Amino acid sequence: MSESASGGSAQDRDADEDLATSLAGLAGLTSLGSTLESVLTQIATFAVQAIPGAEGAGLTLLEEGRSDTIVKTASFVVQVDDIQYSLGEGPCIDAAAQRQTMRSGSLGGDPRWPRFGPRVGRLGVHSVLSLPLITPAGVVGAMNVYAHGKDSFDEQSERIGEVFAAPAAVSVQNAQILAQTQRLAGHLQAALTNRAVIDQAIGILRSRGGLTSDEAFDRLRHISQHENRKLSAVAASLVEEAVNRTRLPARLKTPPPPS
């Protein structure tokens, strides 16, 4: 029986199985209880498993108003991506900007990246497959998959990479949204805590000097500016000092233990 009659070559079947396994892992991925970086690293690890020829991967999450989050699955990827982002030139940058897959099997001589390619080639890394991570909301990031050998990625690798990139983009976006929600919740909780401490400090100043609320707040703000400290830090110090003062007389009145 021919390979076509039996459903393709063993190599093709192995590639499809690796892709299915990676997609299943992606579907079961959860961000709860994990950091954003660890989730992105898991996604990049699944990409290495899914894409034929891959030896390491890096994933870049783009966030407006924040530094890009960059993760890697192998030490040599760290070197390659550091070169890429320090130069501002490379396949990952172009993949995200142009919303297109970038593939090269000879980075050292690739005219698209005349500075990046030769430096990476001297490290012995010659092949790359860069995939934009696109959702209906736009490009959320890009993924680089690398190999040391030349022409390590063919059309099948590119096809599988693009199949993997579609659900991977959704997983990246979900992890990003959860991380943003957690950061917002943390900021709101900190703001509420700071407001409560400031209100307590205002109450202390009013009781001590017969000040109005506005006058007490102006006093706190003046101290903050004069000492170059955050208003909440000044308020917390004042509250802590007041608490310690109330505890001192209590300690002095406590009789010593019997001898």
Side-chain angles (χ1 to χ4, degrees), residues 164-186:
F164 177 84
V170 176
S171 296
V172 168
Q173 185 180 46
N174 289 341
Q176 179 186 38
I177 292 172
L178 179 60
Q180 290 172 342
T181 302
Q182 291 171 336
R183 285 197 298 267
L184 178 59

Side-chain angles (χ1 to χ4, degrees), residues 186-207:
H187 292 160
L188 290 174
Q189 183 60 49
L192 291 173
T193 301
N194 290 342
R195 181 69 255 182
V197 171
I198 291 171
D199 286 343
Q200 291 172 11
I202 288 173
I204 292 169
L205 291 176
R206 290 188 64 189
S207 66

Side-chain angles (χ1 to χ4, degrees), residues 12-169:
D12 289 342
R13 290 195 297 273
D14 288 343
D16 289 342
E17 289 177 4
D18 288 340
L19 174 61
T21 301
S22 296
L23 291 176
L26 202 60
L29 192 61
T30 176
S31 300
L32 295 176
S34 301
T35 65
L36 176 61
E37 287 77 8
S38 67
V39 174
L40 298 182
T41 301
Q42 290 181 70
I43 294 172
T45 301
F46 286 136
V48 175
Q49 180 181 8
I51 299 172
E55 297 176 16
L59 192 151
T60 301
L61 172 62
L62 308 176
E63 287 194 273
E64 186 176 354
R66 288 178 56 86
S67 299
D68 297 342
T69 302
I70 304 170
V71 299
K72 291 95 172 177
T73 65
S75 58
F76 81 91
V77 178
V78 176
Q79 293 178 283
V80 174
D81 277 352
D82 283 349
I83 293 172
Q84 178 168 206
Y85 294 114
S86 66
L87 294 175
E89 172 190 290
C92 188
I93 294 171
D94 284 354
Q98 300 177 28
R99 302 167 66 102
Q100 292 182 348
T101 299
M102 298 287 160
R103 175 161 60 102
S104 179
S106 183
L107 284 170
D110 198 314
R112 290 175 292 181
W113 308 296
R115 294 181 296 161
F116 168 77
R119 289 184 60 178
V120 173
R122 286 194 290 271
L123 294 177
V125 179
H126 299 289
S127 295
V128 65
L129 182 66
S130 291
L131 302 150
L133 300 175
I134 304 173
T135 70
V139 178
V140 297
M143 186 161 50
N144 287 327
V145 183
Y146 295 107
H148 288 88
K150 290 189 175 183
D151 300 317
S152 295
F153 304 118
D154 55 14
E155 291 182 359
Q156 182 195 39
S157 300
E158 184 170 336
R159 175 186 64 81
I160 289 177
E162 290 175 344
V163 169
F164 177 84

